[in-house]
Amino acid sequence: MKDRAWATALWACLVAHPAFAVEVSGLLDLRLGASDSAQSWFNGGLGKTRFDRTSPSLRVGQGFLKLQGDVMDAVTGSLVFSAADDRKGVLDVNEAWLAWNPVPASAWKSQVRLGAFFPVTSLEIDYDSIGWTPRDTISSSAINSWIGEELRTVGVEYKLLRNGRQASSAHDFGFTAGVFAANDPAGALLAWRGWSVSDRITGLTETIPLADLPAFKATGALPSQTRATNVFRELDQRLGFYASAQYAYAGKFELAAMRYDNRGDPLVLQDRQYAWLTRFNHVSARLKNLGEYLGKWEFSTQWLAGDTLMGPGAVYVDFSSWFLLASHPLGPGNLAIRFDQFSTNERAADVLPGDPNSETGQALAVAYRWNLGPQLSLVSEFLVVQSDRAARLLLGLPAHQTERSISTSLRWSF
């Protein structure tokens, strides 16, 4: 409810200003596809993809509506609503923030952002994209799937950027720091479901189902945990933080590194929801516009590794993932190929052997984006995900699964 209050306050700012003009944009994603997954993670299973063999072939993948404009001099507001046909209530809020952008007096430019928004970590997803939607594929990598599912900054962020061109230099630099609340349950999905390769973006007030694992039953080791996780909640009254640095050279090379720590108190339990202590390091890099060396090929990679802890050693898991994405213009569109690897590993300090949380896996996505017009595109993707997770044995399923899907997305941007 606090997140809806954020959205209500921002909406009031947007419509109350007498000279304010709201810019309206959005995205509608119609989906046609098929999957051989037995039971997806979003349907209460331990599959890795959003849809499974019981999912409708034709559906609305997602929809977004963005309202943005200048609230006052140098202050911009943005409000993003989202819709999904597999969400209770269908509508939710994805982002709601105000940003102060003072006029720069030099090549250095600063921004202060307050509200609820995605931390800027992705090279798969454009900074100004609506709803954390990847540009060249339908699914996101395991890293960016998890960020869309379990991470949101509900707080304040300061960004300082140096534009090289304004300083007659080929070098750009940037520094970002954020302080946030309301992300205490982050880590629950990684521990009890593992990674996903998906495109399901969690709304700010949404509850995500967990698999029906024995640990959650009345006679299990964790009977106090509800069979769902409400991701964006403040449970322990402690603030988390992140800090990152970015570098770019002549529009050809980008490099960034981030440290994230939600500073959750793993001993806190409130309304059948545990707080998790979740920390990670993240590095990303991209090569593009290299002409004689790589032609029009573009390469992006991200690596993320950390740990998450709940209770007095009840769950203690290391996690890591990386991907390599290559894309190239082809005919009227763009071809993209992405390879992922991901894993979670229980530490020896984990005291619940009946709640196994380790897994290994990899994924391959091949996609083609066809631009039908300035506002219309068609994206087709073949995705295969292989994973081993011992917890599936507790549900009478094989530990190893191979999931394949083929899907087409008709995207209308407005």
Side-chain angles (χ1 to χ4, degrees):
M1 297 303 294
K2 291 181 180 179
D3 299 304
R4 288 183 178 175
W6 270 105
T8 302
L10 182 56
W11 172 262
C13 290
L14 294 181
V15 300
H17 198 283
F20 178 72
V22 178
E23 297 180 7
V24 180
S25 58
L27 174 69
L28 180 62
D29 174 359
L30 300 179
R31 195 75 55 83
L32 178 66
S35 171
D36 66 357
S37 176
Q39 189 176 13
S40 80
W41 69 270
F42 201 76
N43 289 331
L46 289 173
K48 295 299 173 190
T49 57
R50 177 181 176 184
F51 302 123
D52 56 35
R53 64 184 63 164
T54 68
S55 302
S57 298
L58 181 63
R59 64 190 304 161
V60 177
Q62 24 211 353
F64 301 98
L65 180 67
K66 181 177 182 179
L67 308 177
Q68 184 165 324
D70 295 329
V71 177
M72 59 183 70
D73 288 344
V75 178
T76 301
S78 182
L79 181 61
V80 179
F81 296 97
S82 64
D85 60 8
D86 52 4
R87 172 184 292 153
K88 183 179 180 181
V90 181
L91 290 175
D92 209 325
V93 176
N94 269 34
E95 297 185 89
W97 51 264
L98 294 169
W100 177 47
N101 300 279
V103 177
S106 67
W108 290 95
K109 178 182 179 181
S110 61
Q111 180 192 74
V112 179
R113 192 157 51 147
L114 174 69
F117 46 87
F118 292 99
V120 180
T121 56
S122 176
L123 293 179
E124 246 186 323
I125 299 164
D126 293 334
Y127 174 74
D128 58 352
S129 73
I130 299 177
W132 204 248
T133 303
R135 177 185 54 193
D136 293 323
T137 58
I138 295 176
S139 66
S140 294
S141 64
I143 291 174
N144 292 311
S145 294
W146 178 56
I147 291 171
E149 293 159 1
E150 282 207 284
L151 296 189
R152 208 68 47 88
T153 298
V154 182
V156 61
E157 177 187 83
Y158 175 71
K159 185 182 298 181
L160 181 64
L161 302 175
R162 178 187 182 271
N163 188 319
R165 281 186 294 179
Q166 293 186 6
S168 301
S169 170
H171 305 278
D172 298 330
F173 300 95
F175 306 94
T176 305
V179 178
F180 60 89
N183 218 168
D184 292 332
L189 281 179
L190 271 186
W192 285 325
R193 179 214 59 192
W195 296 93
S196 77
V197 182
S198 176
D199 68 323
R200 184 57 167 80
I201 310 304
T202 307
L204 287 172
T205 67
E206 191 172 6
T207 299
I208 301 299
L210 297 171
D212 191 20
L213 295 169
F216 304 147
K217 298 184 182 300
T219 56
L222 298 166
S224 298
Q225 171 65 43
T226 182
R227 268 285 320 281
T229 176
N230 191 337
V231 181
F232 308 117
R233 292 194 58 188
E234 178 56 45
L235 301 173
D236 58 12
Q237 312 309 313
R238 295 167 62 171
L239 295 177
F241 74 92
Y242 58 83
S244 66
Q246 306 89 40
Y247 168 76
Y249 174 74
K252 301 177 183 297
F253 174 67
E254 298 174 34
L255 179 66
M258 168 186 273
R259 174 64 178 177
Y260 176 100
D261 187 342
N262 75 345
R263 298 184 65 249
D265 183 347
L267 300 180
V268 168
L269 172 65
Q270 182 178 312
D271 299 328
R272 302 187 65 196
Q273 181 76 66
Y274 288 94
W276 293 69
L277 174 59
T278 299
R279 305 161 293 196
F280 64 80
N281 297 314
H282 174 264
V283 177
S284 61
R286 173 155 55 194
L287 287 171
K288 61 180 181 178
N289 300 324
L290 295 183
E292 59 183 300
Y293 301 104
L294 294 174
K296 294 183 178 181
W297 280 102
E298 181 175 313
F299 296 93
S300 301
T301 185
Q302 292 179 231
W303 169 87
L304 184 149
D307 60 7
T308 187
L309 168 66
M310 182 276 289
V315 180
Y316 200 173
V317 177
D318 291 329
F319 55 86
S320 65
S321 180
W322 64 269
F323 76 85
L324 177 64
L325 173 67
S327 64
H328 192 280
L330 181 64
N334 196 77
L335 174 69
I337 304 170
R338 187 188 66 231
F339 178 76
D340 282 83
Q341 279 201 336
F342 52 85
S343 67
T344 61
N345 296 285
E346 280 187 336
R347 285 197 178 185
D350 190 310
V351 298
L352 296 179
D355 177 39
N357 307 118
S358 296
E359 73 173 16
T360 59
Q362 57 188 12
L364 177 67
V366 180
Y368 184 76
R369 173 173 53 85
W370 183 13
N371 298 318
L372 302 177
Q375 295 178 295
L376 199 63
S377 64
L378 193 68
V379 185
S380 294
E381 178 186 88
F382 173 73
L383 174 67
V384 56
V385 186
Q386 294 182 329
S387 61
D388 287 275
R389 188 172 182 86
R392 293 183 180 130
L393 298 173
L394 303 176
L395 302 179
L397 302 170
H400 178 81
Q401 285 188 0
T402 298
E403 302 166 70
R404 291 166 288 262
S405 66
I406 185 167
S407 51
T408 296
S409 168
L410 180 63
R411 295 174 178 173
W412 173 49
S413 302
F414 59 90

